[in-house]
Structure formats: structure tokens, C-alpha cells
Amino acid sequence: MQRKKIILLIAVIILAAFLAGGWLYHNRNSAETNVLTLYGNVDIRQVQLSFNGSDRIVQLLVKEGDSVKKGQLLATLDTARLTSNLELQKAQLASQQQIVSRLEAGSRPEEIIKAQADMEAARIDAENAERIYQRSKTLVEQNFVSRQQLDDARAAADAAKAKLHSLQEVLKLIQIGPRKEDIAQAKAVLNANQAALDVARKALADASLYAPDNGIIQGRILEPGDMASPQRPVYTLALTDPIWVRVYVQETALGKLKPGMSAEVSTDSFPGKRYRAWVGFISPTAEFTPKSVETTEVRSSLVYQVRVFVCNSQNELRLGMPATVTISLDSSAPVSESSRCQDS
């Protein structure tokens, strides 16, 4: 009887252990199915910084590893030639501005008075030449002067009349002022000089290289004394924002992901530390599994690239760093932009 009780008790204990193990296994599987774990590498954007001009480098103000802010001056070129060209364009613009002002102002009163005086003198000369010609005609009839003298008097009278007519037209032109076409041409040249000045200013401004965004100088390629050009990068800048983990998801898990879903990122470099993250870009096209991704599945399977953006306020994550991404599938509500990196 005692033996039967012991056997029954052992059977009850085994049954209870079996039931407890099944319950734990079920709960663990349920928890695991609600969490998607992905593996990838930290990725950032890199910018090749070049001068938008060709000249010799004078200064390089930062080196590898330096943190820079947006708008910070990084390097300068020799500006002697560019400065001289700028002064030349300024002088040409000022000269053309005076020409336009003179044409728009029209003729000065003194110029009109002079033209009137010249015309009056020409009128007097024409009248005098006509009188001489008429007297010469009378004298020729009386044979007191030769026919040649008469011809000379007539030519002088005609020349005096032509000069009078010419000066009358000159007076009209002076009173009317410059032609509209001349003013328009002068203004067009003025606009061209203004554009040339703007180009010269831009060329001088391009002799200074500024940081386009916050980041870290990853590489310093050229040195002072080197010839710079738009085709030769001076620095390689690694942007510190945005930063993301590039992971790959199989088609069976693709439907569980939505842009904006909250996630967490962890790395081997900082054990136990989790970074706030969210699902950003989900590739619309499939690709073969990259060789750099360690998966248990065959590498010939098709996957989709996903970018999981990370809050990296302490600048601890580096390009290429292996990372683990954990995405809770229970909370499908997207993370608002204002709260993504708060208190991270």
C-alpha cells in the first residue's frame, strides 16, 4: 500500500512537470513569435567634399577624426587671381552704369546751346555765300569777273547751304536725345556686367570649403600646396545623422514590418545597452542574400533590405559595426518623429 502511494505521487509529480514544461514552452514560443530579431551592420552616409573651382590649396583647417558642424570652414584656396577679377568686374560695371545714366539723362543744356550757335553761324555763312553768288552773276553778265569765279561762288553757296542743313539736323538730334535702341543696348551690356560680377563673387566664395552638415572627417585626401578641382575630393565626411542598421528580411517576415514601427538595437561593443530605433526604409525589390550577412538559411534565398534608423546621441555607433535589431510585432503603431530620439 505504501509502495502504491509512492508510485502515485511520482506519477503526479511527473505529470505536473510535464504540464509546467508545456506551459513554459507555449509561452516562450508565443513570445518569440511576437518578436522579430534581425542582424546587420551600421551604415551612414559619406560625402566627398571638393572645391567648386580650380586653384592651389592654401589652408586645411581640420584633420581626420575631427568633428565638424554644418557651415564650418574647412579649407581655403589662393584668392589673389579671383580677387583681382572681382575688382575688374566691379570697375566695368561702374563704367557701364555711368554710360546708361548719361544716355537716360539725354543732352545737356550746354550742348543744345552750342548746337544752336553752330547752326546760327552756318545760317549766316550760307546767306553771305548766297549774296556773293548773286553779285557774281551780275558781274559775269557785265564781264567784270570770269565764269570760273561764278562757279566758285555757286559752289561755296551750295556748300554753305548743305552745312546749314546738316547742323539743323544735328540740333534736332541733340534736342530729341539718345535713341531708345541705344539705351536698351547700354542696359543690356549693364546686365551682362552685373552677371559677370555675380559670377566673380561666386567664384571667390567657392574658394572656401564649408561643411554641408554635421559629421566627422573620415579622410583628408589633399594637402596645402596641392591643386584643387571639382574632380578631386579634399575630404571624406562621414555624416552623424541619419544613422541606420542595414538588415535583410525574408519574404515570410516582410508582411509583419511597417515603416515607423519601434525597434531596439544592440551591439557587442556595448553589452546590455539598447538604442531606440524605428523601421525606416523597406526596399520594394528583392535581392540575393549578401555574403556579409550571417544567416542559417541558404544564401541563394531572396531577401528585402530594411533600414532601421537609430538614435545615436552619444556617437557610439560606427560604420560597419555588427548590430542586432529587435522589433516587437505587438506594437504596430508608428513612432512619432517628435518622440523618436527623446531621452535616448
Side-chain angles (χ1 to χ4, degrees), residues 68-124:
V68 297
K69 299 294 184 181
K70 182 178 181 179
Q72 179 179 339
L73 180 63
L74 305 180
T76 59
L77 296 178
D78 182 11
T79 59
R81 177 178 56 84
L82 299 175
T83 302
S84 298
N85 182 56
L86 179 63
E87 295 302 321
L88 173 63
Q89 298 302 329
K90 286 182 179 179
Q92 291 180 344
L93 178 64
S95 174
Q96 189 63 28
Q97 284 175 336
Q98 296 302 318
I99 293 176
V100 172
S101 299
R102 174 169 56 81
L103 292 175
E104 290 179 335
S107 303
R108 293 177 296 177
E110 294 81 2
E111 293 175 335
I112 297 176
I113 293 173
K114 181 181 182 301
Q116 290 174 341
D118 291 340
M119 187 197 68
E120 184 63 22
R123 186 185 64 78
I124 295 173

Side-chain angles (χ1 to χ4, degrees), residues 257-263 277-282 306-309 327:
L257 296 179
K258 294 181 181 179
M261 292 180 65
S262 61
W278 66 95
V279 177
F281 167 77
I282 301 176
V306 176
R307 291 182 181 180
V308 179
F309 291 93
I327 303 175

Side-chain angles (χ1 to χ4, degrees), residues 23-35 330:
W23 181 80
L24 290 174
Y25 179 78
H26 174 73
N27 286 346
R28 189 170 119 192
N29 281 348
S30 298
E32 287 179 353
T33 56
N34 292 331
V35 175
D330 291 333

Side-chain angles (χ1 to χ4, degrees), residues 205-220:
D206 288 340
S208 298
L209 183 62
Y210 297 91
D213 210 333
N214 299 337
I216 299 174
I217 299 297
Q218 183 176 346
R220 175 166 152 168

Side-chain angles (χ1 to χ4, degrees), residues 313-328:
S313 59
Q314 297 182 358
N315 196 27
E316 294 173 341
L317 302 179
R318 296 289 187 269
L319 175 64
M321 181 182 292
T324 302
V325 177
T326 304
I327 303 175
S328 176

Side-chain angles (χ1 to χ4, degrees), residues 27-214:
N27 286 346
R28 189 170 119 192
N29 281 348
S30 298
E32 287 179 353
T33 56
N34 292 331
V35 175
L36 181 61
T37 302
L38 303 171
Y39 304 93
N41 299 89
V42 176
D43 207 352
I44 60 175
R45 290 191 174 97
Q46 296 173 291
V47 182
Q48 301 295 322
L49 302 181
S50 302
F51 283 102
N52 190 22
S54 299
D55 222 308
R56 198 167 299 279
I57 298 176
V58 175
Q59 283 183 312
L60 292 178
L61 304 176
V62 292
K63 60 184 182 300
E64 292 90 343
D66 288 349
S67 297
V68 297
K69 299 294 184 181
K70 182 178 181 179
Q72 179 179 339
L73 180 63
L74 305 180
T76 59
L77 296 178
D78 182 11
T79 59
R81 177 178 56 84
L82 299 175
T83 302
S84 298
N85 182 56
L86 179 63
E87 295 302 321
L88 173 63
Q89 298 302 329
K90 286 182 179 179
Q92 291 180 344
L93 178 64
S95 174
Q96 189 63 28
Q97 284 175 336
Q98 296 302 318
I99 293 176
V100 172
S101 299
R102 174 169 56 81
L103 292 175
E104 290 179 335
S107 303
R108 293 177 296 177
E110 294 81 2
E111 293 175 335
I112 297 176
I113 293 173
K114 181 181 182 301
Q116 290 174 341
D118 291 340
M119 187 197 68
E120 184 63 22
R123 186 185 64 78
I124 295 173
D125 290 341
E127 291 177 354
N128 183 53
E130 182 64 26
R131 285 194 297 268
I132 293 175
Y133 170 63
Q134 294 300 330
R135 284 197 296 268
S136 297
K137 285 177 61 176
T138 303
L139 294 174
V140 166
E141 293 174 357
Q142 299 176 0
N143 294 323
F144 287 119
V145 296
S146 63
R147 178 68 61 177
Q148 181 63 46
Q149 289 176 319
L150 177 62
D151 293 339
D152 292 342
R154 183 171 58 188
D158 292 342
K161 289 180 181 179
K163 183 179 180 181
L164 174 61
H165 180 71
S166 174
L167 291 177
Q168 286 174 341
E169 296 302 322
V170 170
L171 176 60
K172 289 180 182 179
L173 292 176
I174 293 177
Q175 290 173 336
I176 294 174
R179 297 175 57 179
K180 295 180 180 179
E181 294 81 359
D182 293 338
I183 297 176
Q185 180 187 14
K187 288 184 176 180
V189 175
L190 180 64
N191 292 335
N193 290 338
Q194 181 64 59
L197 178 60
D198 294 339
V199 171
R201 284 175 175 162
K202 183 64 169 61
L204 183 60
D206 288 340
S208 298
L209 183 62
Y210 297 91
D213 210 333
N214 299 337

